[in-house]
Amino acid sequence: MGKVKCECGHVNPNGTILCESCGRALTEEARQEKLVDMRYEGSARRSQTYNKTIIDKVWNFFSSVKVGIWIIVLLLVAASFGTILPQEFYIPSNMPAETYYEDVYGTFGKLYYMIGFHDLYNSVWFSALIAALGVSLVIASLDRVIPLYRALKNQRVDRHESFMKKQRLFAEQSGTLNASELENVKAELIKKRYKVRMENGALLAEKNRFTRWGPYVNHVGLIIFLLGALLRSVPGMYIDELLWIREGETLQVPGTDGTYYVKNNGFTLENYEEGEDPEVFDEAINRVGTVAKNYQTDAVLYRDENNELPGAKPELTEVQSDAIQVNQPMKFDSFAIYQTSFRQDEMKAMHFALTNKATGEEYGEITVDLFDQQKSYELGNGYKVELLGYYPDFDGFTEAGEPTSKSPLPNNPAFLFNMVTPETPEGEVSFAQIRNTMEPLGETVYKMAFKSLDTRDVSALTIRKDLTLPILAIGGIIFMIGVVQGSYWNHRRLWIREKNGQVYVAGHTNKNWHGLKREIHAVLKETSIPEPEDRQKE
Amino acid sequence: MDKKKKRLFMRSAILAVLAGLVVYALYTNLTKESRGSLEAGDKAPDFVLTDVNGETHQLSDYEGKGVFLNFWGTWCEPCKEEMPHMEKLANEFKGEVEILAVNVGESNFQVTNFAEQYGLTFPIAIDEGKEVMDTYGVDPLPTTFMIKPDGTIDQIVIGGLIEEEQVRALFERVKPSS
């Protein structure tokens, strides 16, 4: 049971249409056909034979090319839905997605969000579809390549005349084969790089069988590619982090578990200057104002030798120093640090002068670092300024009259100073902002006059590591090898045999029938062997 | 017959491998967001910080005592509200439950000024590189981790603790039993 024994004696797997060995039709349907269906050599596609258990049913489902194509169509359609509105990743980060879509796109946006299209490419069902495609690729390929391999390996030289009769290229003639003539044909075929086998006076010439594996090689590449994409979500394989770093700051490099620190030694933005730079830029400068020439962060990379516990004081040793420019990242280990963005002129320090309100005389200037303040600033000669409070993002006073800050960022710095002078040894309180002073505790003799502002730039760096790239590249290369292998060669076969005073000639190729016909013509034209005719006019 | 069994076995094996890969892919994709974040019951990651008085505090040194690990900032209103409760209960539970207040990287002046203003006596450390904050995945302030004497997290409280009784209840839960 489960086997089909052909008249020729070869035992074929159940479901075989054409005997693997001699090519006799094994099913009633195949016997009726005028031309045999040579797809997969008439071998038993395994999926079609057993359909008993759940495993078999699942197997058969994924084995179907029809199912595979439907999965691809569904994926394409689904992926296109994700392009109708911007994905969640691209909406402004300060807006909650729940309200953003409705606010901006109305009812349609609300619906879009509710269905989950706002994060389509990370959704379970989209991932499941891709997974189904992967499974379909594996199973459909296995289910075809193994029987095809078997059939091509087991094929006999002297195929049954019924097989030959049903080939698209076929001729028969009464007569016998001349042995020396056949030898000549063989030599000609070998010259055309055919592999020729002879048995019982029959001849089989075959070339480029490897091209039949093209699609399967291609699928292997695709599966490797999918595996590479899958590996991205494995911790440690793929890192993509953003780091905002101010000039002068030394910060941990995210994604390196605290092993590395980076210092920003300065950010530079250069523009093309009219007249100084090549003339080709002049027109653009006139049209748009400025044209950027260079975005650069001078960075130093350090390794932390004391990285056992979070919070431990880092002990930094310099690893390398480099100018990070757009498309010229700093590279170390498998990481690369890219220049991504910048913000210019963030407030860094403020200068105030202790000033007599009446005379305008100044008694010295203090510099308050917005990131590291002092408790008091000595000016000498009995003059001193004490800092009572610092409000980096001042936004008003509480009911109790206490100044408040709405964030730790120095967006709107304000200070509560106590000014101590020989005249006012107890001190006078002044509330100072940029270009504004207040006297919350009553009229004062002195004031803290705002003088100037120090600013610095902030650079945004992207830290990226991708260990899946080589896998994706290998997958892609194998994919292309498969495409080339399957596309640029044709699997050609020619059968010649004599039986009961009849000479049979048949030819088959998987594509480019014209090429095969020309080759056969060249080989057979000088002989008495009939040239096979194409019975299926295109 | 035997061959059929073999085939069934092969198919099951291949399907099992594929199913395993698919489940893994879906799982890692779905847990990408929450991966690495702490939950009640997890071991509290160890860290070391130097407080504003120059003393070093390592979390593992507190084993055997409850720890009230509080992340705060000087600008944050609810942080200001809970500080007096914390100060009061720190004294009440001295030796049993310790407070470690971690400031999220403001200047020394701001932190000491704040501590003086509120009369805080428990240790306050500044997490300059925000390393500890990142390790604990702290986002909104204040966030409080209640750590049991065995070093596991009992509760994570996000947001301000307005009532003294709330804070007392938290302290009671992580008090060493003896």
Side-chain angles (χ1 to χ4, degrees):
Chain A
M1 191 192 147
K3 297 276 169 214
V4 183
K5 193 169 177 188
C6 175
E7 284 170 58
C8 74
H10 185 79
V11 180
N12 292 287
N14 188 17
T16 306
I17 300 159
L18 302 174
C19 173
E20 288 174 333
S21 177
C22 70
R24 266 192 196 88
L26 296 177
T27 62
E28 200 47 49
E29 255 176 34
R31 270 190 272 268
Q32 310 264 315
E33 273 172 28
K34 236 181 112 213
L35 292 179
V36 289
D37 182 1
M38 287 291 282
R39 207 142 46 112
Y40 313 117
E41 294 288 302
S43 60
R45 252 160 58 221
R46 309 205 278 175
S47 61
Q48 312 214 314
T49 54
Y50 299 96
N51 203 347
K52 300 248 164 62
T53 62
I54 294 273
I55 295 285
D56 289 327
K57 289 202 167 112
V58 172
W59 187 274
N60 294 347
F61 176 77
F62 284 112
S63 170
S64 160
V65 169
K66 211 193 264 175
V67 168
I69 288 172
W70 268 111
I71 294 172
I72 293 172
V73 170
L74 281 176
L75 264 173
L76 285 175
V77 173
S80 71
F81 287 150
T83 64
I84 300 174
L85 296 183
Q87 289 285 292
E88 191 182 20
F89 185 75
Y90 296 102
I91 69 170
S93 57
N94 53 357
M95 309 250 214
E98 295 92 59
T99 53
Y100 176 83
Y101 285 95
E102 190 175 2
D103 290 351
V104 180
Y105 303 103
T107 317
F108 176 70
K110 190 181 177 185
L111 208 65
Y112 196 81
Y113 177 80
M114 274 165 58
I115 302 172
F117 285 170
H118 66 290
D119 194 18
L120 187 137
Y121 304 110
N122 291 316
S123 66
V124 186
W125 61 270
F126 192 79
S127 311
L129 264 181
I130 292 183
L133 179 64
V135 172
S136 160
L137 272 176
V138 172
I139 292 181
S141 297
L142 277 178
D143 225 25
R144 284 167 178 77
V145 72
I146 293 173
L148 177 64
Y149 174 80
R150 270 185 60 117
L152 288 174
K153 197 176 142 225
N154 289 333
Q155 64 176 330
R156 254 164 55 171
V157 175
D158 47 343
R159 286 292 181 112
H160 193 255
E161 63 271 20
S162 69
F163 171 83
M164 296 177 72
K165 272 181 187 164
K166 287 180 182 175
Q167 292 298 321
R168 185 171 148 183
L169 290 188
F170 176 73
E172 68 179 314
Q173 203 177 64
S174 49
T176 53
L177 282 172
N178 178 329
S180 69
E181 208 171 60
L182 204 58
E183 278 304 318
N184 283 341
V185 168
K186 182 181 173 182
E188 280 300 309
L189 285 167
I190 288 170
K191 253 190 240 165
K192 293 193 181 300
R193 278 178 280 117
Y194 277 84
K195 287 197 182 87
V196 184
R197 280 157 65 195
M198 286 178 74
E199 245 170 56
N200 308 328
L203 176 145
L204 164 61
E206 181 179 15
K207 79 178 194 185
N208 299 337
R209 192 197 283 183
F210 75 94
T211 190
R212 296 290 289 270
W213 315 131
Y216 309 105
V217 171
N218 170 275
H219 284 179
V220 168
L222 210 55
I223 289 160
I224 292 174
F225 197 93
L226 280 175
L227 280 178
L230 176 71
L231 280 175
R232 276 206 167 183
S233 54
V234 175
M237 293 298 282
Y238 179 75
I239 284 162
D240 186 4
E241 302 269 4
L242 187 68
L243 175 69
W244 282 96
I245 184 165
R246 301 180 176 103
E247 285 177 314
E249 271 185 333
T250 305
L251 294 178
Q252 219 176 58
V253 182
T256 63
D257 293 325
T259 314
Y260 289 101
Y261 280 71
V262 67
K263 182 174 185 205
N264 178 353
N265 267 339
F267 173 80
T268 331
L269 165 62
E270 286 174 277
N271 288 316
Y272 286 105
E273 301 288 341
E274 200 170 353
E276 280 177 33
D277 287 302
E279 281 174 23
V280 287
F281 294 104
D282 289 355
E283 197 194 325
I285 292 168
N286 283 328
R287 188 155 41 84
V288 296
T290 53
V291 179
K293 185 181 189 176
N294 184 22
Y295 302 96
Q296 177 175 326
T297 302
D298 295 314
V300 186
L301 183 75
Y302 299 96
R303 186 197 306 279
D304 181 8
E305 309 293 351
N306 180 27
N307 184 34
E308 271 146 47
L309 281 180
K313 271 258 168 295
E315 283 166 29
L316 302 179
T317 49
E318 185 173 331
V319 180
Q320 57 171 307
S321 105
D322 197 359
I324 301 174
Q325 293 171 317
V326 174
N327 291 334
Q328 277 166 348
M330 174 192 265
K331 289 191 171 173
F332 61 99
D333 290 356
S334 43
F335 288 91
I337 304 185
Y338 293 87
Q339 180 70 52
T340 302
S341 183
F342 67 96
R343 205 165 51 220
Q344 280 183 306
D345 302 328
E346 193 189 81
M347 287 185 247
K348 156 75 174 144
M350 286 168 84
H351 301 267
F352 291 97
L354 177 61
T355 314
N356 187 308
K357 274 162 64 181
T359 62
E361 196 180 337
E362 289 180 8
Y363 295 90
E365 212 176 286
I366 66 165
T367 307
V368 186
D369 188 318
L370 298 178
F371 296 84
D372 185 18
Q373 310 80 23
Q374 292 171 33
K375 254 190 129 44
S376 82
Y377 298 82
E378 294 289 340
L379 295 170
N381 300 326
Y383 293 90
K384 140 173 124 168
V385 178
E386 288 167 353
L387 185 59
L388 299 179
Y390 167 50
Y391 313 96
D393 201 355
F394 175 67
D395 74 337
F397 298 90
T398 61
E399 277 172 32
E402 197 193 345
T404 57
S405 175
K406 67 167 181 277
S407 84
L409 303 170
N411 293 327
N412 181 22
F415 306 87
L416 201 57
F417 289 115
N418 189 31
M419 304 167 288
V420 180
T421 63
E423 283 167 65
T424 58
E426 290 295 304
E428 295 179 318
V429 175
S430 170
F431 184 78
Q433 284 174 269
I434 298 177
R435 296 195 182 91
N436 182 28
T437 55
M438 272 187 264
E439 288 151 16
L441 302 183
E443 189 88 7
T444 57
V445 181
Y446 292 90
K447 69 168 184 180
M448 294 303 290
F450 170 74
K451 300 299 280 185
S452 63
L453 189 66
D454 292 345
T455 63
R456 59 178 170 178
D457 300 337
V458 196
S459 180
L461 302 174
T462 292
I463 291 93
R464 188 164 292 154
K465 170 182 163 181
D466 191 353
L467 296 182
T468 68
L469 277 182
I471 301 170
L472 298 184
I474 289 170
I477 290 168
I478 294 177
F479 180 101
M480 281 315 293
I481 290 175
V483 170
V484 170
Q485 186 179 342
S487 308
Y488 289 93
W489 287 274
N490 328 122
H491 178 218
R492 293 173 180 173
R493 275 176 293 175
L494 175 67
W495 295 272
I496 303 173
R497 83 173 286 197
E498 178 204 323
K499 198 180 178 191
N500 304 331
Q502 284 286 94
V503 174
Y504 301 98
V505 183
H508 182 261
T509 179
N510 59 340
K511 56 179 165 288
N512 186 7
W513 291 84
H514 180 70
L516 175 63
K517 280 185 257 175
R518 276 178 37 149
E519 256 178 1
I520 294 175
H521 173 75
V523 170
L524 296 183
K525 65 180 177 203
E526 305 286 318
T527 68
S528 62
I529 301 168
E531 260 181 59
E533 277 168 40
D534 194 345
R535 298 187 297 173
Q536 182 190 314
K537 296 289 173 211
E538 278 145 290
Chain B
M1 281 311 268
D2 205 25
K3 218 163 177 190
K4 241 169 107 182
K5 265 188 189 150
K6 209 172 121 197
R7 175 161 296 168
L8 185 68
F9 175 74
M10 279 301 290
R11 285 182 176 185
S12 309
I14 292 170
L15 283 173
V17 169
L18 291 173
L21 281 170
V22 169
V23 168
Y24 179 76
L26 289 178
Y27 175 78
T28 51
N29 249 326
L30 289 179
T31 55
K32 219 173 356 188
E33 307 261 300
S34 62
R35 191 188 301 151
S37 69
L38 293 170
E39 283 170 31
D42 290 346
K43 178 125 188 74
D46 200 9
F47 63 86
V48 60
L49 281 174
T50 309
D51 71 19
V52 286
N53 298 323
E55 273 175 64
T56 341
H57 298 268
Q58 185 164 342
L59 183 66
S60 52
D61 292 344
Y62 287 88
E63 213 143 295
K65 293 182 195 175
V67 177
F68 184 100
L69 177 63
N70 178 259
F71 291 87
W72 67 283
T74 61
W75 75 92
C76 131
E77 285 302 325
C79 302
K80 293 179 189 169
E81 282 174 29
E82 65 185 15
M83 286 291 177
H85 306 317
M86 283 161 62
E87 178 61 30
K88 187 175 172 208
L89 290 160
N91 291 320
E92 216 172 285
F93 284 78
K94 205 154 205 85
E96 291 184 307
V97 180
E98 300 289 335
I99 290 187
L100 260 180
V102 179
N103 176 275
V104 295
E106 290 177 279
S107 72
N108 202 56
F109 168 80
Q110 284 169 289
V111 174
T112 47
N113 206 32
F114 184 92
E116 272 171 35
Q117 196 183 337
Y118 286 82
L120 307 178
T121 55
F122 49 78
I124 298 174
I126 301 172
D127 185 18
E128 272 172 50
K130 296 193 177 170
E131 278 184 46
V132 180
M133 204 179 150
D134 288 344
T135 308
Y136 277 79
V138 174
D139 187 18
L141 292 180
T143 296
T144 304
F145 292 78
M146 297 306 304
I147 301 167
K148 289 195 272 197
D150 66 358
T152 57
I153 298 171
D154 179 56
Q155 244 188 92
I156 302 169
V157 186
I158 293 171
L161 297 158
I162 301 146
E163 303 293 329
E164 188 187 312
E165 285 317 304
Q166 279 179 288
V167 188
R168 188 185 301 277
L170 292 175
F171 270 70
E172 288 289 349
R173 281 178 62 106
V174 297
K175 189 172 81 170
S177 51
S178 60

